[in-house]
Amino acid sequence: ERDYYKLDRQIFGATVFLAGRDPLILEKKDIQIINTGDVMDTDSRTIPVLLRVVNEKRILKIGQVVSLDLYVSDEMNALCVPRDAVFNDGTQQIVYVQTDGELFEKRKVKTGSRYLQWICIDEGIAAGERIVTQGGYLLKLSSTQVEIGHGHAH
């Protein structure tokens, strides 16, 4: 949604995510926007885009609906983390930052561009901070534990 108006610029490539396959990388010369939709899906916050792609290996099918990242700018320097390190916590994105030894802090972040398995962090952490890249879901679960029932026997 936030990048919709960047689609009028030149496309520098794309990554297509297909169920059961490794992501398909499309280079700048292999992709062209034919049309963009006029209605946003209120659940996914996405807008349909019709593309023409070079498909020599016939991996993509005519009319196939796929998830993809379109790259609307060339190279950039950014602070990026693995996508698996970022969690949706209600209405915000979070990462877990190691503050000391075995102590971790849940930190709200503002995410930006994505590339393959990486996601840019625009706000919330600084270069050099240690974040949890594996096992973060267990931290998320432990931070949301609530006591069920009550603490005495009947």
Side-chain angles (χ1 to χ4, degrees), residues 21-62:
R21 292 189 59 100
D22 288 336
L24 176 64
I25 309 298
L26 299 174
E27 295 181 29
K28 177 177 169 177
K29 64 181 177 50
D30 296 333
I31 188 168
Q32 177 186 7
I33 293 178
I34 303 299
N35 195 7
T36 59
D38 292 327
V39 178
M40 180 177 304
D41 183 299
T42 56
D43 293 329
S44 66
R45 308 304 299 167
T46 59
I47 298 169
V49 177
L50 181 62
L51 303 169
R52 176 182 297 143
V53 300
V54 174
N55 189 24
E56 292 174 353
K57 295 181 181 178
R58 300 185 184 268
I59 294 171
L60 301 171
K61 306 304 175 202
I62 294 173

Side-chain angles (χ1 to χ4, degrees), residues 87-101:
F87 296 92
N88 189 354
D89 190 34
T91 60
Q92 58 191 10
Q93 300 289 312
I94 61 162
V95 297
Y96 291 96
V97 178
Q98 183 181 22
T99 56
D100 185 44

